[in-house]
Amino acid sequence: MLSTPLGLRPITTTPVLCKICDGPANLYGVVDMNRPCQTAHAHRAPLTGVPIYYRRCADCGFLFTDAFDDWSIEQFKTHIYNDGYEAVDPDYRIKRPTDNAAAVARFWAPHKAGMRVLDFGGGNDVFCTSLRAHGFAEAVTYDPMVPEHAVHPDGKFDLVTCFETLEHVPDPLATIGAMAACVADPGGVFYSTLTQPDDFDSQGMSWWYVAPRNGHISIYTQHALALAWHRFGFKTAPLNSGTHLAFRTLPPEWGLAEAPTPA
């Protein structure tokens, strides 16, 4: 069986506790381990014959796989974030972090001289390098997967950013808690992860974002995100289906109304 040498957690048909709300999470569906997001390269991905089973919480709708819960960072690097990863996510090195930095710079430009910014899960530091070039006084990358940026940052930050990271983590509450611990009050977290669409019950496992080859192992609903942040005393508000703002108290100078936490 191919899954044994990969060190995947054995599958069980018994419901497990949801990683967000402790509700019952039954088996929901299965895809091949090499299933990528539907990019121009998706049709080239050969099947591995390794099934990755996902569960969905009956209460909050969180979709996740526990297949990788026993993996080390090195196993993730070997089997997912390896030399072939750029083929299934060609924008992750340069284009996405550069575009994200431009968006953050446009909105927070009036405050850049006095802001401390932390990019959580920032990978190669392209985002923070770009922010510093835009004139931000301090922009720091933290990513435990990248040795040169794996040292936990000191102090609190006015703005914590986290782009396309939460869908990759096997322990979402631990990751959200780690981010929450870095945020000044007032302050905020500007983050992105695509939430399940309104017709997810119809699309199910065919939805393009369910993609273990891309490392997409945690797929949220708005309700699941709200519950997760609430555990740490935060509200979260969707700006659209993919970008969100989490906060205890927003700095008044940002000019953002504190939207209620979605149900």
Side-chain angles (χ1 to χ4, degrees):
M1 185 176 178
L2 292 175
S3 61
T4 301
L6 292 178
L8 300 178
R9 177 170 288 189
I11 192 65
T12 174
T13 57
T14 303
V16 303
L17 296 180
C18 173
K19 295 180 178 183
I20 300 292
C21 73
D22 293 333
N26 286 292
L27 289 178
Y28 181 81
V30 59
V31 294
D32 187 83
M33 183 166 174
N34 220 22
R35 160 80 180 271
C37 291
Q38 292 178 4
T39 68
H41 307 278
H43 66 283
R44 304 177 191 170
L47 296 177
T48 64
V50 177
I52 303 299
Y53 287 87
Y54 283 72
R55 299 177 176 276
R56 196 179 190 210
C57 177
D59 292 342
C60 73
F62 180 54
L63 181 79
F64 65 95
T65 177
D66 51 11
F68 309 102
D69 282 11
D70 300 325
W71 271 18
S72 65
I73 287 177
E74 288 308 314
Q75 285 172 296
F76 276 104
K77 288 181 177 180
T78 298
H79 300 297
I80 294 180
Y81 309 113
N82 50 30
D83 291 341
Y85 186 77
E86 193 163 5
V88 297
D89 190 1
D91 294 338
Y92 91 98
R93 286 189 184 276
I94 303 297
K95 185 180 187 306
R96 187 181 304 123
T98 301
D99 290 349
N100 288 337
V104 168
R106 283 194 298 272
F107 188 85
W108 278 280
H111 318 293
K112 63 186 180 182
M115 288 184 70
R116 297 191 79 213
V117 180
L118 172 68
D119 189 32
F120 198 102
N124 56 15
D125 199 46
V126 169
F127 172 81
C128 285
T129 297
S130 183
L131 275 193
R132 294 190 293 268
H134 279 287
F136 280 73
E138 186 175 4
V140 178
T141 297
Y142 171 65
D143 193 327
M145 297 282 285
V146 181
E148 56 266 41
H149 302 298
V151 177
H152 196 277
D154 293 327
K156 304 289 186 180
F157 292 81
D158 305 293
L159 178 66
V160 174
T161 58
C162 181
F163 296 105
E164 298 302 301
T165 295
L166 283 179
E167 65 272 19
H168 294 263
V169 299
D171 190 344
L173 288 181
T175 301
I176 288 173
M179 275 194 283
C182 296
V183 185
D185 192 18
V189 182
F190 182 58
Y191 69 102
S192 70
T193 189
L194 197 59
T195 52
Q196 296 171 29
D198 291 340
D199 65 346
F200 183 79
D201 287 334
S202 298
Q203 294 194 53
M205 299 299 288
S206 67
W207 189 43
W208 68 273
Y209 206 62
V210 182
R213 181 61 189 93
N214 284 72
H216 290 192
I217 59 179
S218 294
I219 312 295
Y220 304 84
T221 60
Q222 290 290 355
H223 183 46
L225 285 175
L227 292 174
W229 283 101
H230 181 71
R231 288 197 175 210
F232 302 96
F234 277 65
K235 302 173 185 177
T236 185
L239 304 178
N240 53 47
S241 63
T243 56
H244 320 265
L245 192 66
F247 51 90
R248 293 188 189 94
T249 307
L250 287 172
E253 63 270 20
W254 290 3
L256 295 170
E258 294 196 1
T261 304

